[in-house]
């Protein structure tokens, strides 16, 4: 898995490439805890994530809780349909804002 950080307008963008599973989710959690301010809007760019296990979904839920507690926005960008469907079936999808591309992120 590869993780990088950038920005777009006032959003922090975390670009993730590769599977997010039990082997890589701890690396993602550590990156999010160290590199991301939960007081600023956060977008995870996931178009290059082909698979996400339950450990990856848990990581998303933890980030959702942190941004919610901080009163800021979280968006999932470019997520593949297979992961969207898994999130819909598990009931997780209702907690997240999905955006097709970074350019479509709303102004805060």
């Amino acid at each position: 898995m590869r993780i990088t950080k950038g920005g777009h307008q006032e959003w922090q963008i975390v670009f993730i490439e590769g599977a997010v599973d039990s082997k890589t989710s701890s690396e993602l959690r550590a990156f999010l805890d160290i590199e991301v301010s939960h007081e600023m809007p956060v977008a995870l760019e996931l178009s290059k994530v082909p698979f996400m296990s339950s450990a990856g979904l848990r990581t998303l839920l933890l980030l959702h809780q942190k941004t919610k507690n901080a009163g800021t926005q979280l968006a999932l960008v470019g997520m593949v349909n297979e992961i969207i469907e898994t999130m819909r079936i598990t009931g997780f999808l209702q907690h997240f804002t999905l955006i097709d591309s970074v350019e479509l992120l709303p102004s805060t």
Side-chain angles (χ1 to χ4, degrees):
M1 180 177 63
R2 182 169 179 240
I3 309 168
T4 57
K5 182 181 170 192
H8 179 73
Q9 298 173 7
E10 58 274 349
W11 287 81
Q12 302 170 91
I13 313 295
V14 178
F15 298 90
I16 304 165
E17 296 180 33
V20 182
D21 55 24
S22 60
K23 294 180 181 180
T24 60
S25 62
S26 60
E27 178 186 351
L28 178 57
R29 267 195 315 275
F31 184 93
L32 294 171
D33 286 343
I34 294 167
E35 300 292 333
V36 172
S37 168
H38 302 297
E39 286 77 39
M40 294 176 60
V42 179
L44 301 183
E45 209 297 337
L46 301 164
S47 64
K48 295 183 179 175
V49 175
F51 173 79
M52 186 174 295
S53 72
S54 59
L57 295 176
R58 183 176 190 280
T59 300
L60 294 184
L61 286 172
L62 290 171
L63 180 59
H64 164 71
Q65 190 62 46
K66 288 178 182 179
T67 56
K68 182 179 175 186
N69 288 345
T72 193
Q73 297 179 6
L74 171 64
L76 306 180
V77 178
M79 187 176 281
V80 298
N81 288 332
E82 292 82 0
I83 299 173
I84 293 172
E85 184 63 13
T86 300
M87 291 179 71
R88 186 189 65 74
I89 290 168
T90 59
F92 292 168
L93 193 60
Q94 66 186 353
H95 300 289
F96 295 94
T97 300
L98 302 183
I99 305 287
D100 289 335
S101 70
V102 168
E103 294 77 22
L104 296 175
L105 287 166
S107 296
T108 58

